[in-house]
Amino acid sequence: MQKVHDFKSSKTGKMTVKEKIVWLTDIVKQFPVGNGFFTALNMINLTIEQGEFMGLVGPSGSGKTTLLNIIGSLDTPTKGEAMVMGHSVSALTAKESAALRNRNIGFIFQSYNLLPVHTVYENVEFPLLLQKRSAGERKKAVMDALEWVGLTDKAKSRPAQLSGGESQRVAIARAMVKRPEIVLADEPSANLDANNSHTILKTMRQLNEELKTTFIFATHDEKVMQYLKRIITLDDGSISNDETI
Amino acid sequence: MTRQFELFKSGIMLLFKTAIKNIFGAGRRTWLNVAVLSFTFVLMTAFNGLIDGWINDALTGSRAWETGAGQFWHPTYDRYDMFTLPDAHGKIPEDFAPYLADKSVTPVLVIQAAVYESGNMQNILLKGIEHTQQILSIPSNRLLSEDDLIPAVIGERMANTLHASQGDHLLIRWRDKNGAFDVREITIASIFSSSIATVDEGQIWLPLTKLQEMTGMQNEATYLVKSEKCTITEDIKGWSYKDNDFLLQDLYTLMQSGRVESFIIFAILLTLALLAVFDTQMLSVFRRQKEIGTYVSLGMTPRQVTRMFTLEGTSYSLLGIVTGANWGFPFLYWFRKTGIVLPESYTEIGLGVHETMLPIYNPGTIMTSIVIILLLSVLISWIPSRKISKSNMVEALKGKIT
């Protein structure tokens, strides 16, 4: 396990006192199916504080990913209000929502979603390019992020040359490089073996502890649950249990 | 303002760099598109070059051999109406005297006649021209004769028709100004080669003074050809001034149709090339849905992703043009030197075409082709890509855009 570098984000510096960074009030999400609707989320009320390491757990179809997508401003609720970093997700324009994702939210996907034609370095650098950071800043941030996940030697490799575990570590570095307030991880260990799962979870836990980044998982993997400090169980689109460990 | 421009520039550069990376990453599919586009670009440049070369040859040739810098026609002369010819001659107005003296205007007398060759008769036009004139390329200096022989120059087409060679004698028959027939023998002093059929086919060029004497039309002419030196551009004493826009209008019409044909071929080739780009773009949007979703999750707006995909499609054309310029330049240079050797039948049509048609590359035409290719490729790339900005990114991440 690589040692996590001790650095402080200017943004995390502002949030020394635990703040509520996600408020979900009476969230309902429905999808059109035939002539009717399928209700994926039903009256979800939830607050998440800065620095939490928590998971949305439940069986397939329980609404975990849907809820994660709303928090990540990739989707909007049908009813209710989702406030993320002080912004109402439903009220954001496409540009504002992109800016929110670019500056404040990191994503980690089950299938890594690395950009195939870019090298590891370029994949990690991409969010910073969108932020129009200087070349010097980018280089330092990317190398730091690769060091956290122990992949500095793979900087020039392409995603096709990496193992599953390495790919997911690149995805973590890409999500963390901009030092977001929130990281959303959708089944991050689903394609990994036990060893790799533990490695990436330890990395994320360490980043959470050192950088106070909020991690929100959508998972039904027992291995992931072992690391979570708070588990919210979803059942048929409703919260059936909210347990802090 | 500068800061905003810098941000805009860096945004465009990011999209462009990413687009270039993506198209290079696409491997063979990219090179297939680039190859088709570069082939289209080079082929069109060569084809347009040929059309421009032909136009240049035809215009230059027509001015040099036939129209000069314009003509003054006898009041009754109409070159499209042969029935006007018997009366289309008259004394040259005095106003032209200074121009005739400094050779900036040269008279031509046109008479209907018949030529006999091996017992066969053929109707022809006798054209009298001064042997000292230097406005037209007709080798009139060969019409100088100090004896009783009547020297004549004819073009290669006429020589072929008459089976005549230099030094041959031919019998011609014409009517003088009183309508009486007369017959004389002429000697072929020279045979010239011209791409302009209208100074060649069915025509025999004689010394002007000799023709005036033969017809009893002293100091008369049918039309006058002027050089650039002659500044008159208006009718004089009923002799109507015809500029080159009028005299070359048939050629312009022909060129216009040549341009239309060229455009149609260009359109067909470009359509085929752009279909390949369109197909690739369609495929990209469907195959790269997760990638599209990833870009959005990383902080790009769907519109930015659309722009990037459009830029990718356009980059195929850019690469096609750059690649085409690389392999096309030596080819087009070689083609400029060698041209296309046309069959004899082509040059005999009289479209102002030389035996070897040499292309001329017009920077304006090349730039127009480039702009058309780029604009159409932007459009053709945008059509499939615009779907992205309307897509649900959650579905895209799942690879479920339909």
Side-chain angles (χ1 to χ4, degrees):
Chain A
M1 173 65 195
Q2 294 292 310
K3 183 184 182 307
V4 175
H5 271 223
D6 182 24
F7 66 91
K8 296 283 180 212
S9 154
S10 58
K11 285 172 188 162
T12 52
K14 284 180 195 167
M15 293 192 285
T16 46
V17 181
K18 278 196 175 180
E19 292 177 12
K20 287 176 182 165
I21 55 175
V22 178
W23 289 265
L24 303 177
T25 313
D26 298 336
I27 296 293
V28 175
K29 181 68 185 177
Q30 292 176 317
F31 296 105
V33 179
N35 293 327
F37 289 96
F38 166 72
T39 303
L41 295 174
N42 190 17
M43 296 302 282
I44 300 286
N45 288 288
L46 178 67
T47 55
I48 300 169
E49 291 179 346
Q50 178 226 333
E52 286 202 49
F53 197 79
M54 52 98 64
L56 306 168
V57 304
S60 294
S62 58
K64 309 183 292 287
T65 302
T66 305
L67 192 53
L68 214 59
N69 288 333
I70 290 172
I71 296 170
S73 82
L74 287 171
D75 206 351
T76 51
T78 311
K79 287 178 196 160
E81 189 171 39
M83 297 288 289
V84 177
M85 301 299 302
H87 302 282
S88 169
V89 167
S90 304
L92 293 175
T93 62
K95 208 170 173 180
E96 288 165 345
S97 137
L100 176 71
R101 285 191 296 272
N102 181 235
R103 304 218 168 260
N104 307 102
I105 304 171
F107 287 86
I108 297 168
F109 300 100
Q110 176 181 340
S111 49
Y112 328 127
N113 287 33
L114 300 181
L115 302 170
V117 298
H118 295 257
T119 61
V120 164
Y121 183 95
E122 289 162 346
N123 262 283
V124 179
E125 186 190 29
F126 199 86
L128 304 179
L129 285 168
L130 290 175
Q131 290 181 2
K132 300 182 173 75
R133 299 244 200 122
S134 71
E137 264 185 284
R138 292 200 306 267
K139 189 172 181 186
K140 185 178 182 316
V142 172
M143 291 318 288
D144 282 350
L146 287 177
E147 208 171 323
W148 307 333
V149 295
L151 285 175
T152 44
D153 56 329
K154 299 277 183 183
K156 289 181 182 168
S157 303
R158 297 208 177 260
Q161 298 167 305
L162 303 177
S163 68
E166 286 170 335
S167 295
Q168 198 58 298
R169 278 147 66 195
V170 175
I172 294 169
R174 185 176 66 183
M176 290 302 298
V177 71
K178 57 195 177 188
R179 302 180 198 180
E181 279 78 13
I182 307 167
V183 169
L184 304 173
D186 189 5
E187 304 281 10
S189 59
N191 289 343
L192 302 178
D193 58 28
N195 263 345
N196 274 313
S197 296
H198 286 297
T199 306
I200 63 142
L201 285 161
K202 278 179 193 164
T203 306
M204 289 193 269
R205 182 75 183 254
Q206 200 160 353
L207 288 166
N208 162 256
E209 282 166 5
E210 296 212 10
L211 303 176
K212 305 299 173 214
T213 305
T214 306
F215 278 79
I216 306 172
F217 293 83
T219 185
H220 56 259
D221 185 345
E222 292 290 337
K223 295 190 291 294
V224 177
M225 290 182 215
Q226 292 171 28
Y227 289 85
L228 300 177
K229 296 177 193 165
R230 181 183 176 194
I231 295 176
I232 293 166
T233 309
L234 289 171
D235 214 350
D236 285 336
S238 300
I239 295 175
S240 60
N241 192 26
D242 184 349
E243 181 187 8
T244 304
I245 299 155
Chain B
M1 196 65 185
T2 314
R3 170 77 182 144
Q4 277 178 331
F5 176 72
E6 283 301 315
L7 287 176
F8 173 77
K9 201 174 77 177
S10 65
I12 291 288
M13 284 313 289
L14 169 64
L15 291 184
F16 188 69
K17 277 183 194 166
T18 312
I20 288 290
K21 262 187 181 302
N22 284 335
I23 70 169
F24 277 111
R28 267 179 297 184
R29 204 171 58 228
T30 293
W31 292 114
L32 187 69
N33 285 339
V34 168
V36 174
L37 281 160
S38 78
F39 176 75
T40 303
F41 174 61
V42 173
L43 197 69
M44 277 325 300
T45 306
F47 192 76
N48 281 330
L50 276 180
I51 298 276
D52 285 342
W54 164 59
I55 287 173
N56 183 62
D57 273 4
L59 287 176
T60 313
S62 293
R63 286 188 193 115
W65 286 90
E66 190 178 24
T67 67
Q71 294 180 350
F72 295 94
W73 286 6
H74 180 271
T76 55
Y77 177 57
D78 179 356
R79 69 172 173 179
Y80 298 109
D81 184 358
M82 295 304 280
F83 292 110
T84 64
L85 270 180
D87 298 322
H89 56 87
K91 297 279 183 206
I92 302 167
E94 275 302 311
D95 305 57
F96 287 110
Y99 300 103
L100 289 167
D102 71 5
K103 301 288 179 195
S104 61
V105 159
T106 192
V108 176
L109 178 63
V110 185
I111 300 294
Q112 285 175 309
V115 62
Y116 293 87
E117 185 270 330
S118 307
N120 298 313
M121 187 194 80
Q122 189 186 336
N123 289 324
I124 51 140
L125 290 178
L126 293 177
K127 285 188 171 178
I129 190 167
E130 288 178 325
H131 73 271
T132 51
Q133 71 82 28
Q134 290 189 329
I135 297 173
L136 299 180
S137 299
I138 306 288
S140 53
N141 58 331
R142 305 301 302 272
L143 295 174
L144 179 61
S145 170
E146 288 171 358
D147 50 31
D148 259 359
L149 287 174
I150 302 176
V153 294
I154 57 174
E156 282 176 342
R157 297 176 187 83
M158 190 66 197
N160 283 337
T161 310
L162 298 174
H163 306 295
S165 308
Q166 194 171 330
D168 283 359
H169 302 289
L170 298 168
L171 206 61
I172 55 168
R173 190 186 69 160
W174 73 96
R175 294 167 88 148
D176 65 17
K177 71 173 180 183
N178 301 314
F181 281 106
D182 205 347
V183 177
R184 290 282 292 271
E185 193 178 65
I186 59 168
T187 305
I188 304 299
S190 177
I191 296 172
F192 62 84
S193 169
S194 168
S195 60
I196 309 302
T198 44
V199 296
D200 180 344
E201 278 174 339
Q203 295 175 43
I204 295 177
W205 294 82
L206 299 178
L208 179 67
T209 47
K210 196 66 110 180
L211 186 60
Q212 287 171 334
E213 179 194 309
M214 284 157 58
T215 53
M217 298 176 187
Q218 272 78 8
N219 298 320
E220 292 191 12
T222 303
Y223 62 86
L224 308 171
V225 183
K226 83 177 195 80
S227 70
E228 296 289 353
K229 226 169 85 184
C230 172
T231 51
I232 310 173
T233 53
E234 58 195 24
D235 297 358
I236 292 190
K237 302 267 169 64
W239 287 61
S240 60
Y241 174 66
K242 307 289 183 192
D243 62 11
N244 271 333
D245 285 345
F246 172 83
L247 294 169
L248 299 172
Q249 60 185 332
D250 290 349
L251 199 54
Y252 289 134
T253 308
L254 205 62
M255 285 165 189
Q256 196 56 40
S257 83
R259 288 247 182 249
V260 171
E261 280 169 28
S262 154
F263 180 77
I264 290 170
I265 294 173
F266 179 55
I268 292 170
L269 280 172
L270 196 58
T271 303
L272 292 174
L274 290 178
L275 265 177
V277 175
F278 182 79
D279 193 40
T280 304
Q281 288 295 99
M282 286 293 283
L283 199 68
S284 281
V285 173
F286 284 97
R287 280 179 55 170
R288 293 163 59 192
Q289 293 179 38
K290 278 194 180 177
E291 192 183 324
I292 291 167
T294 306
Y295 284 124
V296 172
S297 73
L298 290 175
M300 285 176 91
T301 61
R303 196 169 281 186
Q304 273 179 308
V305 183
T306 303
R307 249 181 262 157
M308 189 174 75
F309 272 64
T310 306
L311 205 56
E312 270 185 47
T314 310
S315 300
Y316 288 120
S317 297
L318 270 176
L319 265 181
I321 289 164
V322 172
T323 311
N326 272 309
W327 72 262
F329 184 77
F331 166 75
L332 294 170
Y333 180 78
W334 167 81
F335 190 47
R336 171 79 188 98
K337 295 281 173 202
T338 55
I340 288 181
V341 180
L342 296 170
E344 207 172 306
S345 55
Y346 273 73
T347 53
E348 281 174 1
I349 295 170
L351 299 178
V353 182
H354 286 290
E355 295 84 353
T356 303
M357 204 158 145
L358 294 173
I360 290 179
Y361 306 119
N362 180 343
T365 313
I366 295 174
M367 281 313 292
T368 308
S369 304
I370 291 176
V371 170
I372 290 175
I373 291 175
L374 287 179
L375 286 180
L376 284 177
S377 62
V378 169
L379 180 71
I380 226 73
S381 309
W382 173 76
I383 291 170
S385 309
R386 75 197 158 135
K387 196 179 180 73
I388 296 168
S389 59
K390 293 174 186 163
S391 301
N392 179 335
M393 285 306 137
V394 174
E395 299 295 301
L397 277 167
K398 292 178 192 164
K400 285 185 181 171
I401 293 180
T402 50

